[in-house]
């Protein structure tokens, strides 16, 4: 795993719907965390010299990055509803 990012979905109005996604350290007082989105960027262990990574990786409010090297990568994400939370 080359990179791991997490953003939390918060409910600030009490209607049990996500109002915005924030970084884990930026949850306002009184907001309920009701979901989490997780991104993993996974890189191959070995270089593939027949391949140059042309992709631009732009996710989770990161600055877009284009490695341009010989490693294959994949980004996977999942949003998880946190069902047993308490405000």
């Amino acid at each position: 795993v080359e990179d791991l990012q997490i953003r939390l979905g918060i409910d600030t109005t009490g209607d049990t719907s996500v109002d915005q996604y924030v970084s884990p350290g930026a949850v306002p007082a009184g907001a309920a965390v009701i979901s989490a989105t997780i991104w993993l960027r996974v890189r191959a262990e070995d270089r593939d010299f027949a391949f140059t990574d042309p992709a631009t990786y732009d996710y989770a409010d990161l600055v877009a990055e284009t490695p341009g090297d010989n490693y294959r990568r994949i980004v996977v994400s999942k949003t998880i509803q946190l069902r047993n939370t308490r405000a």
Side-chain angles (χ1 to χ4, degrees), residues 8-24:
L8 301 174
I10 60 170
D11 175 16
T12 57
T13 60
D15 63 357
T16 68
S17 294
V18 173
D19 296 312
Q20 69 185 100
Y21 282 89
V22 298
S23 297

Side-chain angles (χ1 to χ4, degrees), residues 5-85:
Q5 297 293 317
I6 300 173
R7 302 279 286 165
L8 301 174
I10 60 170
D11 175 16
T12 57
T13 60
D15 63 357
T16 68
S17 294
V18 173
D19 296 312
Q20 69 185 100
Y21 282 89
V22 298
S23 297
V27 176
V33 176
I34 59 175
S35 69
T37 300
I38 302 168
W39 291 267
L40 290 174
R41 185 173 68 207
V42 182
R43 189 194 81 185
E45 185 175 351
D46 297 318
R47 290 177 185 253
D48 179 352
F49 290 103
F51 172 79
T52 301
D53 188 356
T56 299
Y57 298 95
D58 186 11
Y59 57 95
D61 294 337
L62 294 177
V63 175
E65 177 184 354
T66 306
D69 59 15
N70 303 109
Y71 290 100
R72 293 184 182 268
R73 292 175 175 82
I74 187 170
V75 175
V76 294
S77 67
K78 180 74 175 178
T79 300
I80 303 161
Q81 179 184 4
L82 306 174
R83 294 174 37 196
N84 295 324
T85 60

